[in-house]
Amino acid sequence: MARILITSAIPYINGIKHLGNLVGSQLPADLFARYQRGRGNEVMFLCATDEHGTPAELAASKAGKPVDQYCTEMHEVQADIARRFGLSFDHFGRSSSPQNHWLTQHFAGQLAEHGLIREVVEQQMYSKADGRFLPDRYIEGTCPNCGYESARGDQCDNCTKQLDPTDLINPHSTISGSTDLELRETKHLYLRQSTMKDKLEAWIDSKTDWPVLTTSIAKKWLNDGDGLQDRGITRDLDWGIPVKKGAEEWPGMEGKVFYVWFDAPIEYIACAKEWADAKGLDDSAWQRWWRTDKGADDVRYVEFMGKDNVPFHTLGFPATLMGSGEPWKLVDYIKSFNYLNYDGGQFSTSRGRGVFMDQALEILPADYWRWWLLSHAPESSDAEFTWDNFQVSVNKDLADVLGNFVSRITKFCRSKFGEVVPEGGTYGAQEEALIADLTARLRAYEACMEAMEVRKASQELRAIWVAGNEYLQSAAPWSTFKEDPERAAMQVRLGLNLIRLYAVLSAPFIPFASATLVEAMRIEDQSWPADVVTALAALPAGHAFSVPDVLFAKISDEDREDWQTRFAGIRT
Ligand SMILES: [Zn+2]
């Protein structure tokens, strides 16, 4: 039995995520976790909310709540939606947890001990009206390059020039609008990534099986321009993990916190400790996933994320782990995704453009979305959600192919044999051909799932459904029944067993429909099929079942048009 550690990039706390976010990490990670569990492997699937940083503070202030209370509430909202989407995390943690405080401070202490932290005194914009230092992107002013009036302190969105807040003409705080800004001295800690360049590069070069998308992004950051830069890991904020050197105070860093990008990936590890603590297990329970000196040597660690997160996961986080001088488990494979666009443009949280996770579940069950998103995952390039495509895909794949198959065979059986698997008859050439076809397709499906080729896997699964439908169409037990009832009984028995096979194979993609089939067919053995012949005999003659309710309803043109209008971007 293999042991597989899976993490999904952690969603930011300030609001409900849209479908593009979902398909960029959590959903494909869930697909892989469910598949690996289905194959009988031991899986630890972790995700969490990313709760620190200025955007969380601002969102809380806008909601009129203390930031810790806001994060607690939003965490519960996100956890609830994740459950309803069937995201099967072993633990859904919080980057603000005591476990992450402890680990983040621990890593900083280790890095300092190994000479990998330097202290830098720098000048930063301070807003007297806001009573705080302002992060670069919370300062706006006129671009000195193109005259655009809403250029941010880090970059001008109009001409894309990289800027420093001091470059701006008439700079002001975007929080209060105040222009009463001044440069003040402040001290920060920098992670000396530049000294680890060779080590990181050698490690990345050793990952010959990684997709080019992943390694090319990492190489660019390692070598472009002046090469890998040291990175600030602290901020002048109230909300965050206080800067400490392990358990010790850090002289001169009082009142400062670690930068959210430093503590967020550490939460992957802290999350496993949260899981163990919640279950009342001791430290060895989570350490066997994360410490190579404590059992994690045989763990395969896979990370899922959008392409924008690749630099931090290939450089920043590994630099933290390697630099600690301790035997932490490093990632074995990174599965990264391009972007999902929405109906001719981008999803927009601020303008409410596109479908958000809570809204999606208000209009249709999770499996409809899971199927469409995964079968159109933005793997080799960006993908686009359109309502037409969604309607066609759901109606054809789920309703016509899978749903219709289940409905026809169970209803026919009920009418001729009752709600029980009929006995009699033996396989002929047609059945042998179906078995050969299914066997080849099953192996192809497994290979795609193992390789995390999400779209291809969905195509193989669909082909497996289609093969059953085509068999049923040509075997036509409703005709056979008149001349040869025994043969019809065999065909129906095979068809009912195909439903069981589909329930098992489809569970990673559409777990709710799969559970409906398991219940209706009273399936006890849900183990992954070793071979198709055995799998098609799992429900023996005499086994009772009930005809399930309609598995997937078709999406009408009227609904499609309604939704298209509703989600075009009017939410404020
Ligand atoms: Zn400009």
Side-chain angles (χ1 to χ4, degrees), residues 143-148 151 156-161 163:
C143 174
N145 189 46
C146 74
Y148 178 61
C156 173
D157 278 341
N158 189 50
C159 69
T160 75
K161 189 176 168 60
L163 299 170

Side-chain angles (χ1 to χ4, degrees), residues 6-11 17 21-22 25-34 37 43-49 75-94 268 271 275 279 304 357 370:
I6 302 167
T7 59
S8 158
I10 67 179
K17 305 298 131 183
N21 300 131
L22 179 63
S25 60
Q26 289 177 318
L27 190 54
D30 180 69
L31 179 79
F32 189 59
R34 285 178 178 273
R37 289 193 201 104
V43 169
M44 176 59 75
F45 177 25
L46 302 171
C47 191
T49 38
H75 173 81
E76 209 28 69
V77 168
Q78 291 205 21
D80 175 59
I81 295 174
R83 268 191 295 273
R84 291 191 282 133
F85 259 99
L87 302 177
S88 60
F89 308 130
D90 287 287
H91 191 74
F92 187 59
R94 302 182 59 185
Y268 290 147
C271 188
W275 163 84
K279 286 188 168 310
F304 288 78
M357 285 173 73
R370 290 179 63 109

